Structures are given as C-alpha cells and as structure tokens.
Amino acid sequence: MARARETITRALRMHARVIGLGQSPSSAQAAEGLVLLNDILNDLPGNGGALPFRDYRSDVSFSFDDCWPCWPSVRVTCTAAQTVTLPMGCARNPVPDGFIVEIVNPNAASITLARNGWLIAGSAANATFTAARRRYHYRADLGDWKLAADLGLDDDLPYPAQFDGYFRLELGDAICPGYARELSAADRKRLDDGRTKLYAQYCAPPPTQFDAEAQTIGVANRGGAGGSLNDFLNGNI
C-alpha cells in the first residue's frame, strides 16, 4: 500500500500535472494535499463514512458475538469501565471487509477492546484506552482492526494496495480546481471505475435480520429440512 506522501506527490504530478517528474511537492502543497486526502478518507466506507451507525449502549460489557451478524457500522457507548469484544464472525457470516466499530467513552473510563483472535492496529494484544472516542475498521486481507485516524505524511493508506491508483485519482480531482485544471477524460473514467469497485467491496448491505418471533418461522429447503427465515433470506438454506 502507498504512503500519504507518495500519494500526494503522484496526484500532483500524474493527475493535477502541477509538478514535474522528479520534483517534490512544496511544504505548502504537501500540507494541503494531506488535508484533502484525510477529508477524502473520512468520507469513504471502511474508514468512517458512507454507512450510518447502529447504536448500542453498554453499562457492563459488550460482545459482538452476542448479536452477530449485525450492521457493518456499529457505535457502542460505554457508560463505565468494561471490555468490548470484537466480532469473531462465522462461516456463514464472516466479518466483512471494512466493518466499522466506534467506541464512545463519555466518562473517560478504562475500556479494553478484546481482539477475539484478530490483530488490533497490527498487534496481537488487546487494546486499552480512556479516550473519549475510538474508531476501528476491519481489514479482511490482514485480519487486522485498523485504528481510523487522520494520516500523517509518512503513514500508509488504510485500504489495500489495489486501491492506491484510485486514491491518487480522487486526490488529483480534489487538487485540480486550486490550479484551474481538470482531470483528463481518461483519468475521469478510471476514477469512476475505481469508486465503483471500492463501494462494491465496502458498502455491502448487512444480512437481513428479523426479530426473535419471526426467526422461529420454519422454512423448508429443497431437501425438506427446516431453517429460520433469516437463513432462508440470506441464502444459507
């Protein structure tokens, strides 16, 4: 995956066309590019944007396994010190790429994020914090819950390398108006294609779920065995 500095440099050179081959951005160009890049990332699925949150309140402890599968953007407000256990997922409903977990901690309590077998920010250890808010998103290609925060110039982009070109184009498009320029027609087509691919991967709707009473309705599959309505609608029987 590319770093922020590399993305800014290539966007300025390849797409906005305001610096030449072998040139580096000025400090002002790098700073402005970083602000624009973080704005783009914060509005995209898998890093905080595009999907509404489903809210839960927790007074003692919270485990995603108790309510799995659930909406792919979840906010848990913790009113006291406790452990929040990340979802394990299952064969039928694995943790989707880009699943977002936001922890709101209004009382500055000690919150432990239990990794449940995954990495957290690249570490095979639980995360403990007292911050008022933390947001993580799941990288399925790494099995890692990445901390969603604004990037520095030397930080890696939070998405897989297959989207590096898309982010250069998206940033180039944001930079161009400041120089009275526009993306080329070819770049515009590539940008639209890249956006479609990213949203297809990170904006999958959650599995259909019904309340407990509806879940007791039996649905026969072709072999005659029964199953729940949820299983039937999600293609599991």
Side-chain angles (χ1 to χ4, degrees):
M1 68 197 74
R3 291 188 176 183
R5 188 187 303 275
E6 174 189 353
T7 301
I8 294 166
T9 300
R10 291 187 174 182
L12 284 163
R13 176 171 59 84
M14 298 170 62
H15 307 303
R17 303 181 301 283
V18 296
I19 64 174
L21 183 65
Q23 291 182 320
S24 297
S26 68
S27 58
Q29 287 173 324
E32 180 185 37
L34 186 62
V35 170
L36 293 172
L37 180 58
N38 279 315
D39 285 346
I40 290 166
L41 289 170
N42 288 331
D43 284 338
L44 287 174
N47 204 50
L51 291 175
F53 282 97
R54 175 157 293 176
D55 285 296
Y56 292 87
R57 174 190 171 97
S58 179
D59 301 321
V60 180
S61 64
F62 185 90
S63 174
F64 281 89
D65 289 341
D66 293 338
C67 57
W68 192 258
C70 55
W71 189 257
S73 295
V74 175
R75 180 187 293 119
V76 182
T77 298
C78 299
T79 60
Q82 59 188 277
T83 296
V84 175
T85 302
L86 291 167
M88 170 61 69
C90 60
R92 288 180 173 177
N93 290 295
V95 182
D97 203 12
F99 191 100
I100 301 169
V101 170
E102 183 171 273
I103 310 298
V104 179
N105 183 24
N107 300 319
S110 178
I111 305 299
T112 297
L113 190 65
R115 65 191 190 93
N116 208 0
W118 307 112
L119 300 176
I120 298 178
S123 173
N126 295 338
T128 301
F129 57 89
T130 57
R133 189 182 301 268
R134 281 280 183 95
R135 181 180 290 173
Y136 294 86
H137 73 273
Y138 180 65
R139 282 281 300 272
D141 58 326
L142 303 175
D144 192 359
W145 289 89
K146 293 292 188 182
L147 182 63
D150 282 353
L151 301 180
L153 284 171
D154 294 316
D155 290 336
D156 292 331
L157 298 184
Y159 286 80
Q162 70 194 77
F163 296 111
D164 286 351
Y166 162 72
F167 284 111
R168 290 196 302 269
L169 287 160
E170 194 76 74
L171 181 57
D173 191 40
I175 289 171
C176 277
Y179 296 90
R181 295 177 181 272
E182 295 182 356
L183 291 183
S184 68
D187 279 351
R188 176 67 59 188
K189 175 64 166 57
R190 291 172 57 210
L191 174 59
D192 291 342
D193 290 346
R195 186 180 292 127
T196 297
K197 291 177 181 177
L198 185 136
Y199 274 74
Q201 179 161 333
Y202 289 100
C203 266
T208 304
Q209 290 293 301
F210 292 87
D211 60 27
E213 182 177 354
Q215 289 183 33
T216 64
I217 299 173
V219 180
N221 65 13
R222 286 176 294 182
S228 73
L229 183 59
N230 281 328
D231 282 338
F232 175 73
L233 292 175
N234 289 309
N236 295 326
I237 61 172

